[in-house]
Amino acid sequence: MEKIGLKYGLITAAGLIGYFLLMNLFGLAHILELRFLNAVILTIGIVLALRAYKKMKQGNIGYLSGLGAAFMTALVATLIFSSFMLLFIKAFDDSLMDVLTANRMVGERVASTPGLVIFMVLMLEGVISGAMIGFIAMQFFKRPEHTVPNSP
């Protein structure tokens, strides 16, 4: 489970970083609503991890072990992405700090410890999203085969 979580967490982090760099290249990094697509990338990574884990276990995965694989994938991806964002903002682009401080939830605390607040907000956002995605995806992957019960 740990190897799959690490592998797909790294792949998902690469997808998140690539998406951010692409947004930054086109000048769209300041549009916070586009961060919604981070959840789509995280969903793809978690579903691929669960699919690989189920295949490794010959189709029989426990609910909690599947949740663990999903959570591990989200944790690794979010940790790497949050660290990248912190380094990117500190080293290359301080203007993103202004965008994040405009958000009322983040803005009040950024003045005292900007790096820690940004890192923690990104971590919470990713880990909580990943946990919810894992719970939803396991409703599908806990079945022995991917069919709807009582369907033709």
Side-chain angles (χ1 to χ4, degrees):
M1 174 178 67
E2 290 85 9
K3 287 183 181 181
I4 287 178
L6 182 62
K7 175 184 175 183
Y8 286 94
L10 289 170
I11 292 169
T12 304
L16 290 168
I17 291 169
Y19 173 63
F20 170 75
L21 291 175
L22 191 64
M23 280 182 22
N24 197 41
L25 179 69
F26 289 115
L28 301 173
H30 65 281
I31 301 173
L32 292 178
E33 289 79 12
L34 290 175
R35 289 174 48 195
F36 170 75
L37 292 176
N38 285 350
V40 173
I41 294 169
L42 189 60
T43 300
I44 292 168
I46 289 173
V47 167
L48 290 175
L50 288 173
R51 190 180 76 174
Y53 186 56
K54 188 168 186 169
K55 186 176 181 180
M56 183 182 83
K57 293 290 188 176
Q58 288 87 29
N60 295 323
I61 59 173
Y63 192 77
L64 289 178
S65 63
L67 282 179
F71 187 75
M72 178 72 75
T73 302
L75 184 65
V76 169
T78 304
L79 183 64
I80 293 169
F81 181 66
S82 299
S83 300
F84 167 79
M85 287 300 296
L86 181 62
L87 288 172
F88 186 85
I89 289 171
K90 291 286 190 177
F92 299 110
D93 193 4
D94 281 342
S95 67
L96 283 176
M97 185 75 76
D98 297 332
V99 173
L100 291 174
T101 56
N103 185 348
R104 293 192 78 182
M105 183 179 85
V106 178
E108 298 169 359
R109 307 243 192 277
V110 170
S112 58
T113 57
L116 179 64
V117 172
I118 290 169
F119 181 79
M120 291 306 296
V121 166
L122 290 173
M123 281 297 297
L124 284 172
E125 180 182 292
V127 170
I128 291 171
S129 298
M132 290 188 320
I133 292 165
F135 277 113
I136 293 167
M138 276 308 297
Q139 300 307 313
F140 179 73
F141 281 98
K142 71 181 179 182
R143 290 189 167 85
E145 66 280 329
H146 300 303
T147 60
V148 177
N150 301 324
S151 66

